[in-house]
Amino acid sequence: MTNNKPTRRVAIVGTGLIGASWAALFLAKGLDVVATDPAPNAEARLKEFVASAWPALARLGLSPGASQLNLKFTTDLAEALANVDIVQENGPERIDFKQKLYEQLDELLAPEVIIASSSSGLTMSEIQKGAKTHPERCVIGHPFNPPHLIPLTEIVGGAKTSEATIQRVEEFYTSIGQKTVRVKKELPGHVANRLQSAVAREVYYLVAEGVVSAADVDTALCWGPGLRWGIMGNMMLNHLGGGPGGIEHFFQQFAGPMTAWWKTLGAPALTADVQKMLIDSVHAEVGSRSIEELETERDELLISLVELRNKRAQIAASHKAAAE
Ligand SMILES: NC(=O)c1ccc[n+]([C@@H]2O[C@H](COP(=O)([O-])OP(=O)(O)OC[C@H]3O[C@@H](n4cnc5c(N)ncnc54)[C@H](O)[C@@H]3O)[C@@H](O)[C@H]2O)c1
């Protein structure tokens, strides 16, 4: 399957939390979006979301031609899929639902149209069993919530996904500014959610064991490793953690102590009592602040960090171009 046609028109199937956010991002990148969702008021909710996300997207930089007016909505699946170049599917996270939907998508779409699923927990090998004729064009394109602000997409193929599909979808996401990660083996939670889950397990353990409060464990995370993780990942930071000797020296120094700590890491049982303790500790940390206030604070800092990182990337690219 080859296709060199530029991607201009995207279908969003399912406009809940993730679909609406993808739609806003695609519009900001100057693409035409046609969305479909059978839920009552779906169109109004989608347009409201896109309007509310637009100021942040404008701050991060709109592509030429970007407009909220390039969004069309229909409850008719066939109409939504007509003449699209790619589908981003964000329906409910149930395998029976997705397989049935993929059967319909596969029948309605031309064979070269990629179907990317946002699924967080299902494997493409299972989902694509629904696509009877062209399973090779089905792939996971898993975003991080909210996709219009967090520029990460994990790409995972299933047993029947073609290499051409993986390459084309990677090019598409990269072309709209996403950082892509190619996950080479199907695993529950892909990669980024597994990383979060590993940290969450220890966080819950430390709070449940009374080692720290929720407030203190969050301080330890976001003012320590979290600050660095927003800039460089574990592997690169380990390289710097070894000083002038780099990663080789890091392992000489820390391989022993680190593997000894691993043996003491927790595996808490999230019983009703443990959950109650964690919930009480979180409420003590939150105090009187509303969810809206906390969301505003998170988004403001997040946008500032993404802006800063984009600016640094542009400077690095112009230095590289000047050196060539
Ligand atoms: N919530 C997250 O943090 C998150 C993050 C990354 C990926 N995902 C994945 O994104 C997908 C959607 O998750 P969500 O959180 O947006 O769920 P959601 O419940 O908010 O949205 C699902 C939408 O699908 C719609 N829908 C139902 N039947 C449909 C049909 N036949 N055709 C089109 N749309 C239909 C529903 O009306 C609903 O609006 C899931 O696969 C999930 O794993 C979720």
Side-chain angles (χ1 to χ4, degrees):
M1 184 173 56
T2 54
N3 183 7
N4 297 323
K5 202 174 147 226
T7 303
R8 286 287 328 138
R9 192 174 171 87
V10 186
I12 294 278
V13 177
T15 60
L17 187 74
I18 293 302
S21 181
W22 268 129
L25 178 72
F26 294 148
L27 290 166
K29 297 297 173 184
L31 300 172
D32 292 335
V33 173
V34 50
T36 186
D37 191 309
N41 296 328
E43 180 174 6
R45 278 193 285 124
L46 171 63
K47 290 189 170 160
E48 213 173 285
F49 179 85
V50 171
S52 72
W54 208 253
L57 288 162
R59 196 171 137 188
L60 289 170
L62 299 174
S63 296
S67 166
Q68 294 178 63
L69 299 176
N70 295 335
L71 173 63
K72 302 276 173 291
F73 185 92
T74 169
T75 50
D76 185 310
L77 182 64
E79 194 182 321
L81 302 179
N83 301 317
V84 297
D85 301 308
I86 187 167
V87 174
Q88 184 75 44
E89 173 274 310
N90 324 278
E93 184 76 342
R94 291 197 327 266
I95 191 63
D96 57 330
F97 169 87
K98 298 237 193 224
Q99 284 178 343
K100 211 166 138 235
L101 177 65
Y102 277 64
E103 188 172 349
Q104 289 175 286
L105 296 175
D106 194 40
E107 278 169 11
L108 290 165
L109 290 161
E112 70 277 9
V113 178
I114 288 179
I115 310 172
S117 175
S118 295
S119 177
S120 309
L122 304 172
T123 63
M124 185 40 74
S125 291
E126 283 302 308
I127 296 173
Q128 69 192 167
K129 284 181 183 162
K132 302 281 188 303
T133 321
H134 288 290
E136 76 283 351
R137 48 65 174 273
C138 302
V139 64
I140 300 274
H142 175 247
F144 233 56
N145 187 39
H148 72 281
L149 294 182
I150 307 261
L152 175 70
T153 306
E154 294 175 313
I155 298 171
V156 203
K160 295 196 169 160
T161 307
S162 69
E163 183 56 32
T165 296
I166 291 191
Q167 282 179 18
R168 279 177 54 212
V169 87
E170 197 166 13
E171 278 164 24
F172 166 64
Y173 289 127
T174 306
S175 76
I176 57 160
Q178 293 291 100
K179 301 284 172 203
T180 59
V181 170
R182 177 160 180 189
V183 183
K184 296 178 198 144
K185 290 183 182 176
E186 293 181 297
L187 277 176
H190 315 310
V191 167
N193 275 331
R194 292 177 72 87
L195 299 176
Q196 289 202 126
S197 171
V199 173
R201 185 164 76 169
E202 186 62 13
V203 164
Y204 299 151
Y205 173 74
L206 293 171
V207 177
E209 288 296 307
V211 178
V212 273
S213 62
D216 279 349
V217 82
D218 277 353
T219 300
L221 196 58
C222 72
W223 286 99
L227 268 184
R228 299 196 304 210
W229 287 336
I231 300 159
M232 284 181 190
N234 182 84
M235 304 305 273
M236 197 79 119
L237 287 167
N238 287 171
H239 187 48
L240 297 184
I247 186 72
E248 293 84 350
H249 185 60
F250 177 85
F251 281 135
Q252 277 163 14
Q253 251 190 323
F254 295 117
M258 204 163 45
T259 44
W261 294 344
W262 288 347
K263 291 188 187 129
T264 72
L265 292 177
L270 287 180
T271 61
D273 284 349
V274 170
Q275 286 188 37
K276 165 98 177 56
M277 187 194 170
L278 297 173
I279 290 166
D280 289 347
S281 198
V282 168
H283 283 300
E285 178 181 4
V286 169
S288 61
R289 292 172 296 170
S290 68
I291 300 250
E292 289 74 25
E293 280 176 80
L294 292 167
E295 277 176 350
T296 305
E297 182 184 332
R298 178 200 61 190
D299 290 352
E300 174 62 32
L301 287 168
L302 188 58
I303 294 164
S304 302
L305 182 58
V306 174
E307 268 183 320
L308 184 64
R309 295 217 56 176
N310 287 345
K311 208 162 117 194
R312 290 281 312 166
Q314 276 163 9
I315 294 169
S318 63
H319 284 173
K320 195 170 166 230
E324 280 168 5

